[in-house]
Amino acid sequence: MLSFFKEIHLYLLSEKDDVNDSKEYRRLIFVKLALGIVSTILLAFSGLHAFILDNGHELVAIVDFLAALVTIYAIIDLKINQNIDRAALIGTSSLFIFFITFSYLNQNESFGLIWLIFFPVIAITINQTQRGLRFALVFLLAVSILGFLGIGEWQDGAWDLKSFLRLSIALSLVIFVMYVHEITMDKAQKQELDTLKFFEDFSLIDELTKIANRRRINELLDIEFKRSKRYQTTFAIVLFDIDHFKQVNDTYGHLIGDDVLKALAKLVSNSIRETEMIGRWGGEEFMLILTESDQNTAFAVAEKIRRIIAETEFDGLKEKLTCSFGIAEYKKGLVLEEMIAQADQALYQAKSHGRNQVIVHGKHR
């Protein structure tokens, strides 16, 4: 018995489930549970109607058996493809057919219609909220029609208008409560995700310049490096820093120096394409990541930025500002650390040859 429940536990809470969203994971667990219960119930009732009940219905047995097979297919498909929506749709449809058939045949004998309250709970929980609500409302309509037609007929005539209203109102309340519960969870999760995104973005943005920080740049470099390596494309990086920035701080103070860094970051950000990325590498040093660009394209981009900076008047400074640039291009067999080192070497070369210039690694002016 313990091993049986252990297997159930492992089936429901498998660590192989590739679902990161907390609500989706919860929905996946409920879909698995619902499919297991629905397939078992359908097989049981199919057997009851086919072999045990004296008043069994062959047609009902066939319908239940086919619905059970479809539900078992959904379990297998969910395990293979992890398509929660499809599995939930199949499971809910099978359960819908079962409960409508059950209501039509049972007619509240032994207070059997109490089981109907489980349908809206399952339908709204395992489906996307709006689709689950539509399922529940259609179910309410179908059950209400059956119940209304059964007034004076069901339970040897004991089923009356009050019984019908109790059932309809009870189902309506369950639907309302479950819907409010789900939309509240949706809103709470959205707030949670917004908060997490805020803190994640905050941790990846340089506080002073409001561009990507070194951590974020390293992540983007790794992504671009792997992409270029996999698809045999190229990209380039540009390291640049402000010439004689120490003199700016010494002459005008660190507040003016900070303003210069912010203005420079904004100026360069507005001068590049959306597919090109800029980040603060450290201090007065910045990095550009140029996707699908070779060294010639990178040189043109860097040279344009160099001219724009040299021609711009920065608030608080009496003299013009210049920057030096070093470029490295990804080539097959090159590791990322070597590529960064090449850009750094090219930047050092630009500095040592007079500053305010662009140097491509491996090329000499």
Side-chain angles (χ1 to χ4, degrees):
M1 181 63 72
L2 288 175
S3 62
F4 170 76
F5 284 108
K6 183 179 179 181
E7 289 297 322
I8 294 295
H9 178 268
L10 291 175
Y11 166 69
L12 292 176
L13 304 177
S14 172
E15 294 181 357
K16 295 180 180 179
D17 295 328
D18 188 19
V19 179
N20 296 320
D21 184 277
S22 59
K23 188 184 177 186
E24 280 297 280
Y25 181 73
R26 166 182 168 269
R27 196 159 72 93
L28 175 60
I29 300 304
F30 273 95
V31 168
K32 285 182 173 183
L33 182 63
L35 290 177
I37 292 173
V38 170
S39 59
T40 302
I41 290 174
L42 288 170
L43 285 173
F45 273 83
S46 176
L48 284 172
H49 280 282
F51 306 111
I52 298 175
L53 295 178
D54 293 332
N55 58 344
H57 296 263
E58 283 188 17
L59 181 59
V60 174
I62 294 172
V63 170
D64 284 350
F65 183 71
L66 291 176
L69 291 181
V70 172
T71 309
I72 292 170
Y73 163 78
I75 294 173
I76 298 171
D77 180 67
L78 177 63
K79 187 176 180 63
I80 296 173
N81 299 311
Q82 293 288 296
N83 190 323
I84 304 175
D85 284 334
R86 185 164 59 210
L89 178 62
I90 294 172
T92 309
S93 301
S94 298
L95 195 62
F96 183 94
I97 293 170
F98 169 76
F99 271 129
I100 294 301
T101 306
F102 177 81
S103 301
Y104 177 74
L105 295 175
N106 187 73
Q107 300 181 358
N108 204 36
E109 291 296 328
S110 302
F111 202 45
L113 293 184
I114 192 174
W115 294 102
L116 300 186
I117 64 171
F118 286 103
F119 181 83
V121 174
I122 294 173
I124 296 175
T125 302
I126 71 174
N127 290 279
Q128 298 287 356
T129 306
Q130 297 301 323
R131 188 169 76 179
L133 177 64
R134 288 193 290 270
F135 259 121
L137 291 176
V138 171
F139 181 75
L140 173 63
L141 178 62
V143 169
S144 296
I145 291 173
L146 287 176
F148 182 78
L149 294 176
I151 294 175
E153 299 290 334
W154 289 1
Q155 297 176 272
D156 296 325
W159 179 263
D160 56 12
L161 182 60
K162 287 183 179 179
S163 304
F164 163 74
L165 290 175
R166 288 193 192 101
L167 176 64
S168 299
I169 293 171
L171 278 175
S172 299
L173 285 175
V174 171
I175 292 171
F176 175 74
V177 171
M178 287 305 304
Y179 179 68
V180 171
H181 175 264
E182 289 300 309
I183 61 174
T184 303
M185 284 195 63
D186 287 343
K187 185 174 182 180
Q189 186 188 42
K190 184 178 184 305
Q191 290 176 341
E192 179 185 350
L193 291 175
D194 289 344
T195 302
L196 289 173
K197 187 176 185 305
F198 170 79
F199 283 110
E200 182 181 353
D201 291 345
F202 187 76
S203 69
L204 299 175
I205 297 297
D206 180 65
E207 185 177 357
L208 177 67
T209 59
K210 308 306 179 188
I211 59 175
N213 60 17
R214 184 158 182 161
R215 175 185 171 189
R216 179 57 174 162
I217 282 293
N218 277 321
E219 289 181 359
L220 294 172
L221 277 172
D222 187 58
I223 292 170
E224 191 60 29
F225 182 82
K226 289 177 180 176
R227 190 182 71 85
S228 295
K229 187 176 181 180
R230 179 177 181 181
Y231 296 106
Q232 311 251 321
T233 58
T234 190
F235 77 102
I237 58 174
V238 181
L239 268 177
F240 68 98
D241 70 2
I242 302 172
D243 297 327
H244 304 296
F245 186 68
K246 185 177 182 300
Q247 292 181 15
V248 173
N249 282 330
D250 292 343
T251 304
Y252 300 100
H254 288 279
L255 290 178
I256 294 296
D258 287 348
D259 288 341
V260 169
L261 290 173
K262 289 187 282 187
L264 178 67
K266 185 176 181 180
L267 178 66
V268 176
S269 296
N270 292 335
S271 303
I272 60 177
R273 298 175 302 175
E274 290 184 1
T275 55
E276 299 167 343
M277 293 156 281
I278 180 174
R280 189 179 180 189
W281 192 244
E284 70 274 21
E285 194 170 32
F286 299 84
M287 178 180 283
L288 287 171
I289 302 175
L290 308 180
T291 59
E292 298 184 2
S293 298
D294 58 17
Q295 58 186 18
N296 295 325
T297 303
F299 180 85
V301 172
E303 182 61 26
K304 181 188 77 170
I305 293 172
R306 185 196 66 79
R307 288 198 305 269
I308 291 173
I309 294 171
E311 295 168 0
T312 299
E313 294 185 0
F314 289 85
D315 292 342
L317 300 185
K318 294 180 181 179
E319 61 278 339
K320 293 291 182 69
L321 200 70
T322 63
C323 289
S324 299
F325 297 76
I327 296 172
E329 175 188 351
Y330 168 75
K331 294 179 181 177
K332 187 177 180 180
L334 194 67
V335 300
L336 184 56
E337 290 75 13
E338 291 174 335
M339 187 178 176
I340 296 172
Q342 288 181 359
D344 194 52
Q345 291 167 12
L347 173 60
Y348 177 80
Q349 188 179 356
K351 290 281 190 183
S352 61
H353 282 72
R355 296 181 171 83
N356 191 26
Q357 58 185 287
V358 180
I359 296 292
V360 177
H361 180 266
K363 289 191 174 183
H364 302 282
R365 294 199 58 159

